[in-house]
């Protein structure tokens, strides 16, 4: 099993997440190419081993016990630009793609400035913020199943919904994505990126240990998840070293040595308070891994 692959064992996963929480992966692979990715997937499938694909490590909470299977850290990068089409490897940080596009005077991705996501993760989750989302700029992407069958998906075939795509529901691994952008002025776009970055620093916990937004905005409420939590006076509420942010109520922070169990308890408490006092059932945006 995994012959010829640079597999590591019992690798702590906390350093690979923005939460800085999580136990070890039984097996761990940094996938830099399609061939090794496909072989690892096939070997895991043959041995009935669970697989988790790790991108930028945001919006994820990993169990304190870790993951009893294979974790593949996507590290396939590279950017190609053809007119207004920008193609990027799934393991590349989205921030890098934005800078490259803006440098060429291409607009459309800057709405996600400051979001610590990989290209693959952004497509997988249909990343959204500031009134836009990845589905609005994605032209197509390629993905492989666990047997090495590679397929190109059009925007429509991705079946995008709010924080959702087909890739969340089928055993597919995104390899790259192509974005269709608009022509713009590079200097103006750079200025916009700086403004958005500064605004993010004012409104969110940039640079702190957090997975980002904990809950989805409820579709049956006129208020956002952050507003609902804030109005109940839950900012600053903590269980152990897991704390509801005093800056953005939909963020949970690891303010020291928080455990995944403490975060789960805090998430449960916030959901119970919002349900009982505001009559709204919140749903998590963060993904639980290894639970």
């Amino acid at each position: 099993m995994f012959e010829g692959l640079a597999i590591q064992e019992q690798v702590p996963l906390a350093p690979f997440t923005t939460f800085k929480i999580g136990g070890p992966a039984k097996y761990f692979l940094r996938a830099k190419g399609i061939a090794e990715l496909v072989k690892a997937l096939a070997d895991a499938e043959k041995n009935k081993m669970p697989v988790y694909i790790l991108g930028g490590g945001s919006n994820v909470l990993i169990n304190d016990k870790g993951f009893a299977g294979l974790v593949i850290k996507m590290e396939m990068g590279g950017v190609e630009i053809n007119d207004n089409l920008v193609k990027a490897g799934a393991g590349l940080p989205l921030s890098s793609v934005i800078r490259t596009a803006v440098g060429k005077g291409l607009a459309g991705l800057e709405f996600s400035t400051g979001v610590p996501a990989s290209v693959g993760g952004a497509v997988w989750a249909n990343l959204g913020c500031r009134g836009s989302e990845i589905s609005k700029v994605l032209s197509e992407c390629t993905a492989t199943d666990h047997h090495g069958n590679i397929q190109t998906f059009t925007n429509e075939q991705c079946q995008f919904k709010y924080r959702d795509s087909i890739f969340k529901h089928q055993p597919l691994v995104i390899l790259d994505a192509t974005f269709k952008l608009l022509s713009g002025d590079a200097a103006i776009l750079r200025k916009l990126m700086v403004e958005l970055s500064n605004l993010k620093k004012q409104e969110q916990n940039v640079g702190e240990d957090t997975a980002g937004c904990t809950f989805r905005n409820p579709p049956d409420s006129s208020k956002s998840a952050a507003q609902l939590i804030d109005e109940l006076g839950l900012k600053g509420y903590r269980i152990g070293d897991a704390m509801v942010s005093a800056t953005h109520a939909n963020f949970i922070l690891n303010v020291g040595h928080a455990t995944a169990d403490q975060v789960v308890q805090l998430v449960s408490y916030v959901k119970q308070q919002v349900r009982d006092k505001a009559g709204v059932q919140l749903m998590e945006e963060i993904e639980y891994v290894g639970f």
Side-chain angles (χ1 to χ4, degrees):
M1 182 173 62
F2 302 135
E3 184 178 351
L5 296 176
I7 295 288
Q8 298 173 272
E9 296 185 30
Q10 298 301 320
V11 174
L13 295 174
F16 296 98
T17 74
T18 58
F19 234 152
K20 298 297 183 286
I21 295 173
K26 185 175 182 180
Y27 299 104
F28 184 83
L29 173 69
R30 294 174 180 268
K32 301 181 185 297
I34 295 177
E36 60 181 333
L37 169 67
V38 169
K39 185 181 188 314
L41 291 171
D43 284 1
E45 178 106 346
K46 183 179 179 180
N47 289 275
K48 295 181 171 55
M49 180 181 297
V51 175
Y52 180 70
I53 305 298
L54 184 63
S58 59
N59 283 105
V60 60
L61 177 65
I62 296 175
N63 197 313
D64 297 316
K65 296 179 181 179
F67 186 76
L70 171 65
V71 172
I72 300 177
K73 178 76 170 70
M74 295 293 283
E75 295 191 350
M76 288 181 282
V79 178
E80 299 175 15
I81 298 179
N82 185 9
D83 293 327
N84 66 330
L85 295 177
V86 178
K87 182 178 180 180
L92 199 65
L94 189 59
S95 58
S96 178
V97 182
I98 298 171
R99 288 193 299 270
T100 300
V102 165
K104 296 293 184 179
L106 294 173
L109 280 171
E110 59 279 355
F111 74 90
S112 55
T113 296
V115 179
S118 66
V119 169
V123 175
W124 180 85
N126 189 18
L127 181 153
C129 60
R130 304 184 180 105
S132 191
E133 54 190 16
I134 284 294
S135 61
K136 293 184 178 181
V137 293
L138 183 96
S139 174
E140 63 181 28
C141 66
T142 60
T144 180
D145 63 16
H146 289 203
H147 302 284
N149 299 308
I150 298 175
Q151 179 181 347
T152 297
F153 290 80
T154 64
N155 185 297
E156 184 177 359
Q157 289 173 326
C158 291
Q159 299 178 24
F160 287 122
K161 297 178 183 177
Y162 174 69
R163 302 295 186 269
D164 197 14
S165 74
I166 189 175
F167 307 107
K168 280 193 173 186
H169 308 285
Q170 294 192 19
L172 297 165
V173 181
I174 298 167
L175 302 174
D176 58 54
T178 300
F179 304 102
K180 187 175 183 179
L181 305 180
L182 301 173
S183 296
D185 183 282
I188 293 175
L189 291 172
R190 288 193 188 97
K191 182 179 179 182
L192 176 60
M193 285 181 65
V194 171
E195 292 173 351
L196 291 175
S197 180
N198 290 336
L199 184 62
K200 186 177 180 67
K201 290 176 182 177
Q202 295 172 18
E203 298 176 343
Q204 300 179 10
N205 299 88
V206 175
E208 298 186 56
D209 297 340
T210 176
C213 286
T214 306
F215 304 100
R216 300 183 177 200
N217 288 323
D220 53 352
S221 174
S222 61
K223 298 177 180 179
S224 68
Q227 288 175 310
L228 290 165
I229 298 167
D230 189 6
E231 289 176 359
L232 293 178
L234 293 175
K235 280 185 174 180
Y237 188 88
R238 63 189 288 173
I239 294 178
D241 278 343
M243 184 182 81
V244 177
S245 168
T247 303
H248 192 299
N250 198 14
F251 279 42
I252 288 178
L253 309 180
N254 173 4
V255 295
H257 300 284
T259 63
D261 182 62
Q262 290 170 349
V263 174
V264 170
Q265 290 183 52
L266 184 55
V267 167
S268 179
Y269 178 78
V270 171
K271 289 176 68 175
Q272 176 261 320
Q273 290 291 301
V274 173
R275 181 178 63 248
D276 292 352
K277 297 180 180 179
V280 177
Q281 180 64 57
L282 292 178
M283 299 295 293
E284 288 92 322
E285 183 172 323
I286 57 172
E287 180 188 12
Y288 295 110
V289 177
F291 287 85

